[in-house]
Amino acid sequence: MVQRLVDYPSSDDSSSSRRSSSPHRGYCDPEQDMGHVRGGWSGHVGLVITGRSQQQLHALGLACIEAICPHIFGTRPCDEQRAEALDSPHISLTRAFYVQEHQIAGFMSELEASIRGMGALTVGFGALCAFANERGDREFVAVEVAAGRDSVQAVLERVDHVMERFGKPRFFADARFHASIVRLDTRDASPRSVQRAADRLGAQMDEEILRLPAARIDTLECVFGDRCFHISLNQ
């Protein structure tokens, strides 16, 4: 297993129930709480989707924007400040949390030790769904993990163990794993418009999503503010 520090790309999200834009059910919005807060660094851990699967999900996100923006904002094309197709999809395994700078090295060491021995996993995606962040000013269109959930859960249990050792909250018990593909600024949109648009779009695209090839995931990502660490799962 190899741990490395990488350049941090702009990221979004992540988890909740099928086609529900209700917050507090597993959705974590890393960008909402990045950086320093009260002397601490905001943290987030997730499984990174790369390669062909990343490209396919990004293309799906672009198609979603074209289809749903007129229903939410009444405009086409959509303003990039209002809607963005995410080019770095991932499956979140933590809520946003905070650590002191001197704790980062210890957290990463504990996380690497906890994950040791785990290999790469394969996931398949199912239905389109929508999630709101806890502040209620952003919503996300995502694809739910339909196959390989047990493998993701196994990684989550080890991440939760480290979170508990550092006095941080475990992940949402009732969360459904997913990868967000579109981020929407919904401060001036109807509260239910994203959910209605996702429902309408899902009826058209769910079959297409189910045809996507399974994604092989071999990297666990841990972000602290503008620092991004990757831990390989296949070594």
Side-chain angles (χ1 to χ4, degrees), residues 59-129:
L60 187 64
L62 292 172
C64 287
I65 287 177
E66 281 293 311
I68 68 177
C69 274
H71 298 289
I72 300 172
F73 304 113
T75 60
R76 186 196 299 267
C78 193
D79 184 344
E80 290 183 1
Q81 298 299 315
R82 286 179 159 185
E84 178 187 3
L86 302 171
D87 58 7
S88 300
H90 63 267
I91 301 169
S92 288
L93 299 178
T94 63
R95 310 184 192 192
F97 64 98
Y98 298 94
V99 296
Q100 299 297 310
E101 185 173 10
H102 70 271
Q103 295 179 302
I104 294 176
F107 184 93
M108 290 305 305
S109 178
E110 290 269 1
L111 184 61
E112 184 172 7
S114 181
I115 296 300
R116 186 171 294 125
M118 301 200 80
L121 53 146
T122 301
V123 301
F125 299 107
L128 207 66
C129 46

Side-chain angles (χ1 to χ4, degrees), residues 154-173:
V155 179
L156 172 62
E157 289 173 0
R158 299 198 185 192
V159 172
D160 270 344
H161 175 72
V162 176
M163 294 289 284
E164 286 187 322
R165 286 180 61 85
F166 278 77
K168 308 304 176 184
R170 294 170 62 91
F171 200 50
F172 300 92

Side-chain angles (χ1 to χ4, degrees), residues 43-64:
H44 174 259
V45 179
L47 292 164
V48 182
I49 299 168
T50 59
R52 182 171 174 78
S53 295
Q54 175 188 12
Q55 297 168 2
Q56 290 171 328
L57 291 178
H58 181 61
L60 187 64
L62 292 172
C64 287

Side-chain angles (χ1 to χ4, degrees), residues 22 41 43 55 65 80 82 90 125 132 150 183 197 220 222 228:
S22 172
W41 289 74
Q55 297 168 2
I65 287 177
E80 290 183 1
R82 286 179 159 185
H90 63 267
F125 299 107
D150 290 346
R183 177 173 52 224
L220 186 71
C222 188
C228 182

